[in-house]
DNA sequence: CTGAAAGCGCTTACAG
DNA sequence: CTGAAAGCGCTTACAG
């Protein structure tokens, strides 16, 4: 069986209190005793039971991470950075892929509460949020408005939308289509669409926006893209709200014998490392993924420690245009 | 404060024992009592503390997942499927991105033991494995040999290597280079290399293998690729052990004015959904990611339940060639 | 410098 | 059908 603190104490000939004190560096323990205890730990191959400690401490150092799916490179990279930073802060990550499904989000929210997580980072719609409030849990949202009191970390979506749209116009596009997720008020990502529509309207240029539920598999994306291209044969520019969609647009354009960027210019969104590897030619808006992760963790830790600064309800990080050859 | 079982009991006018019995559907509780308890739970917005339950039950329903990084699409997708299946089985996933670094692997291994996980799925080298054994923990490896007793799930790497190599030869390649991770005996992925070298030797064709430490950032990969292309100007085919490397090869070939597939043919490896979206033209070997996840979970559950079937030490799943236009 | 006791929030024999 | 007691593996006042 697994050794427990009591076994260590017995073997070392001291009380459990003393062993506990040693592990936590609390109170005085003589050098002689320390040595005895340490060798007892070695001998028994002892590891403290963090479950028992958590129960007493009312602090698990566990955080929940809810996002649509790590299969999407943006979230896969975000997850990597978040988990990495957590590990550096002694936090452990319980991963939840909700696929943006409300039923899953609710199940996960309950699961996290039962597991006494110290905080939650949410990158999904999440209606279960009401429950968090009651539990008065630390929560940080990424690119989502969840409630008045939950801080939001996002990149500058309006600026991203503006940069993408302007790039297409500068390159001579006069008829641009935009692909985005469903119009929902809760996410700042809608600002990309808003920027697009604002600018096109200002310039008096024809445009249209198509919505697709995310995550969507490739075939479904292609169906929307085909319809859009069919409905707008004059199109000469596309602003896609993520790089996968942009890639599918380019693929479908190829099927139709359109050449990129001559016949059609395409700008994507996210600009992950994976995109840089697999599609270095794609012009896209780069989100500062690591900075988003960093900011989210920092805010969450502040909330957990109770030093939450009420003024910083929303943090917006800069994006940049990556100039590929597709636009 | 958070309500606890005792609060529910008091409000319902019963003993904690009865409330516990209800939650666990154990023993008899009268309908009348059930109703009282249920409404008390509602009123207090009660959620059981799984930490406390775990302490008693010696079962956390927590599993650890150690892999290089979810930022790599293969692992991002694998993680998605594993977590998803775990959720369906009532298991929770503690995520660990080790970057194949031994120090991190060891830290994570200890962390997981302290947290009393019921089992671990390992997709990284992991020397910390010795400790698992002592803790006599359920472990399943993905594409890694960890020890005699730890079952391994992998796809058919030799066949994958064979398919890739044969494809290149069939398309007329006579001088093929292979890019792979460092030659280490612990991973079945070395069989890809072996298949490549076996076939090339059989056919008496010139070939060479270059190793790169993974995960490697794009610039470092490109450096190896440039060196390889410089050293072998006669090369007409490349078999890369993952799709990111294949993409970088194609990129560098473009820089050199080589046209794909006329001057150089390229086959990748992994064939993730992300690759299908971003690089549908890439000829690659598709690993059955969801099946790998499924098999790993099934085996781990069996180990946890103690019904481990000793005969199934290694499970090899079929791969397939996806025929793109790069080879 | 060290230990006995109580308690973290649950569950499970054991009684009744 | 229901409850009092002990215990899961720790930690922390409180004594000494």
């Amino acid at each position: 069986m697994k050794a427990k603190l009591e076994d260590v104490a017995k073997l070392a000939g001291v009380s459990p209190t003393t062993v506990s004190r040693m592990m936590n560096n609390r109170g005085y323990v003589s050098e002689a005793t320390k040595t005895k205890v340490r060798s007892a730990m070695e001998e028994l191959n002892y590891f403290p039971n963090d479950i028992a400690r958590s129960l007493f401490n009312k602090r698990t150092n566990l955080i929940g991470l809810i996002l649509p799916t790590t299969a999407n490179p943006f979230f896969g990279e975000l997850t990597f950075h978040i988990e990495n930073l957590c590990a550096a802060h002694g936090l452990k990550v319980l991963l939840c892929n909700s696929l943006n499904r409300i039923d899953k989000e609710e199940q996960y929210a309950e699961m996290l509460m039962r597991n006494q997580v110290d905080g939650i980072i949410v990158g999904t719609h999440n209606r279960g949020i009401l429950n968090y409030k009651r539990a008065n849990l630390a929560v940080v949202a990424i690119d989502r408005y969840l409630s008045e009191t939950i801080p939001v970390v996002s990149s500058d979506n309006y600026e991203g939308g503006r940069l993408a749209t302007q790039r297409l116009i500068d390159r001579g596009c006069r008829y641009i289509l935009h692909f985005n997720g469903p119009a929902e008020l809760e996410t700042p990502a809608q600002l990309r669409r808003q920027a697009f529509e604002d600018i096109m309207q200002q310039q008096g240029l024809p445009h249209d926006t198509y919505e697709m539920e995310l995550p969507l598999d490739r075939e479904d994306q292609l169906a929307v893209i085909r319809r859009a291209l069919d409905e707008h044969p004059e199109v000469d520019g596309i602003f896609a709200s993520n790089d996968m969609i942009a890639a599918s647009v380019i693929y479908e354009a190829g099927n139709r014998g359109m050449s990129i960027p001559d016949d059609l210019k395409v700008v994507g969104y996210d600009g992950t490392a994976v995109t840089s590897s697999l599609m270095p030619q794609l012009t896209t808006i780069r989100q500062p993924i690591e900075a988003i992760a960093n900011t989210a963790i920092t805010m969450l830790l502040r909330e957990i420690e109770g030093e939450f600064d009420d003024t910083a309800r929303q943090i917006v990080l800069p994006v940049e245009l990556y100039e590929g050859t597709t636009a």
Side-chain angles (χ1 to χ4, degrees), chain A residues 32-221:
Chain A
T33 314
K34 278 186 185 166
T35 313
K36 275 190 302 181
V37 172
R38 260 193 288 264
S39 68
M41 284 181 173
E42 291 264 305
E43 191 174 332
L44 296 173
N45 194 238
Y46 173 73
F47 289 101
N49 181 330
D50 275 350
I51 295 289
R53 301 175 106 177
S54 297
L55 183 57
F56 188 93
N57 294 327
K58 288 157 178 272
R59 168 105 189 221
T60 54
N61 290 314
L62 224 43
I63 76 128
L65 176 59
I66 309 184
L67 33 75
T69 168
T70 54
N72 174 306
F74 174 76
F75 290 109
E77 293 180 22
L78 186 65
T79 298
F80 165 72
H81 286 115
I82 286 177
E83 190 280 318
N84 232 21
L85 289 162
C86 279
H89 287 284
L91 297 174
K92 299 151 281 186
V93 175
L94 276 175
L95 179 66
C96 308
N97 292 285
S98 78
L99 290 172
N100 277 332
R101 276 174 44 189
I102 293 178
D103 56 326
K104 290 201 152 220
E105 289 168 5
E106 278 168 355
Q107 272 173 260
Y108 280 126
E110 180 174 333
M111 179 277 274
L112 294 174
M113 293 185 54
R114 286 169 172 253
N115 282 276
Q116 315 299 118
V117 295
D118 294 336
I120 303 187
I121 295 181
V122 184
T124 184
H125 301 317
N126 222 288
R127 309 312 198 291
I129 216 61
L130 297 171
N131 296 326
Y132 304 154
K133 290 312 298 173
R134 293 195 213 167
N136 139 293
L137 208 53
V139 180
V140 169
I142 293 184
D143 242 18
R144 306 286 153 176
Y145 297 124
L146 294 178
S147 87
E148 307 275 300
T149 52
I150 294 174
V152 177
V153 179
S154 68
S155 58
D156 193 339
N157 286 287
Y158 194 91
E159 176 66 4
R162 197 192 67 72
L163 283 169
T165 309
Q166 197 58 54
R167 171 71 168 201
L168 289 166
I169 293 174
D170 289 351
R171 294 281 151 152
C173 296
R174 290 297 172 266
Y175 198 121
I176 308 179
L177 300 182
H178 176 46
F179 293 98
N180 204 326
E184 306 200 47
L185 296 176
E186 308 103 30
T187 151
Q190 284 303 321
L191 293 171
R192 301 175 194 169
R193 171 185 187 154
Q194 181 137 24
F196 166 72
E197 292 176 351
D198 284 356
I199 293 176
M200 294 303 281
Q201 221 146 320
Q202 274 168 25
Q203 311 268 339
L205 295 173
H207 61 280
D208 202 355
T209 298
Y210 284 79
E211 296 177 9
M212 24 181 109
E213 194 69 51
L214 302 173
L216 202 59
D217 69 37
R218 183 157 180 266
E219 279 313 313
D220 294 331
Q221 282 179 16

